[in-house]
Amino acid sequence: MTTLQIQKAELLNALHLPGTPLIVTNVWDAITATVVAQASGVRALATASHSVSNVRGLQDGEGLSVNEAIAAARLIVDAVDLPVSVDFEKGYAPDAAGVARNVRRLIEESGAVGINLEDSVGAPKAPQFDIPTAAARVCAARTAAEATGIPLVINARVDTLAGGGEWDEAVARANAYLDAGADVIFFLGLNDENKVKRALDEVNGRISVIGHPGAVPLARLAELGVSRVSFGPGSLGLTLAALQRSAAQLTALGDYPADLAFPFAL
């Protein structure tokens, strides 16, 4: 592993700063990575597995093979100079040993310096791995990263609230994952300010949330002390909505959309 990859991992970790959160507009291929990386103020990128899968005609939920997921990550990492965190779903493996193998491959073959790791057996509303099993999977990812010498930033996802589960279990999971080696907790279901405050009080580490219309505003999330905000497939939704509006405008013999002249290049 290169010194540059280590430096990128260290930078990514440092950017998760409570009160000055890392904002990552999720990307899914080389051109979206390039465009987002050129936006003012952007210092790191993150992929969204949902988007990576959908643009290939596949469903989210490990519709990609691990080989396809790593290849997709490498295209994005190679397109930019910024640190890249990869939504690695459930590690593309049923057990901790498989997670370790695949995380090591991701680091070595793609150059990624961060991952999201889910704790559900399937989609967010599906059953979760029990806490010891889920924590062991986080620990396996950490051990694999240590073997490569890259201080991988692990954003461990807690799906409990999003799946209709109980608050106390969600917090117990979050703290277990931190103890197992996670750097940040991606806490789904924090859909109001009181829940954000409570998570920040009860989780023994940094918190990452997903932003969307109707969620706590970004400026307020910063004030509360959140460390990272991402948007998942929402950025793909933005792109597709703009494309659909433009297609309707052009088909109706309307004005040329101002952005029709594409200014970016790979």
Side-chain angles (χ1 to χ4, degrees), residues 57-145:
L58 301 170
Q59 294 297 313
D60 190 29
E62 299 193 351
L64 296 174
S65 69
V66 66
N67 290 340
E68 291 169 328
I70 291 171
R74 176 155 190 171
L75 284 174
I76 292 167
V77 172
D78 286 349
V80 296
D81 295 326
L82 300 180
V84 176
S85 180
V86 172
D87 183 348
F88 209 48
E89 304 207 51
K90 299 180 292 294
Y92 300 88
D95 55 23
V99 171
R101 286 193 300 272
N102 292 340
V103 168
R104 180 160 186 166
R105 283 190 59 199
L106 177 72
I107 295 169
E108 294 177 340
E109 296 176 28
S110 79
V113 296
I115 61 167
N116 282 9
L117 190 64
E118 300 173 13
D119 67 351
S120 286
V121 176
K125 293 186 182 297
Q128 291 181 278
F129 296 109
D130 62 44
I131 294 178
T133 298
R137 295 165 69 85
V138 174
C139 183
R142 174 54 62 209
T143 300

Side-chain angles (χ1 to χ4, degrees), residues 17-80:
L17 187 63
T20 309
L22 172 64
I23 306 297
V24 282
T25 302
N26 300 82
V27 301
W28 54 90
D29 60 12
I31 189 60
T32 53
T34 300
V35 169
V36 172
Q38 292 176 357
S40 176
V42 171
R43 300 187 65 189
L45 299 180
T47 72
S49 65
H50 197 293
S51 304
V52 172
S53 297
N54 282 182
V55 298
R56 289 164 173 78
L58 301 170
Q59 294 297 313
D60 190 29
E62 299 193 351
L64 296 174
S65 69
V66 66
N67 290 340
E68 291 169 328
I70 291 171
R74 176 155 190 171
L75 284 174
I76 292 167
V77 172
D78 286 349
V80 296

Side-chain angles (χ1 to χ4, degrees), residues 211-225:
H212 55 83
V216 179
L218 288 168
R220 183 58 179 151
L221 289 172
E223 291 172 353
L224 292 170

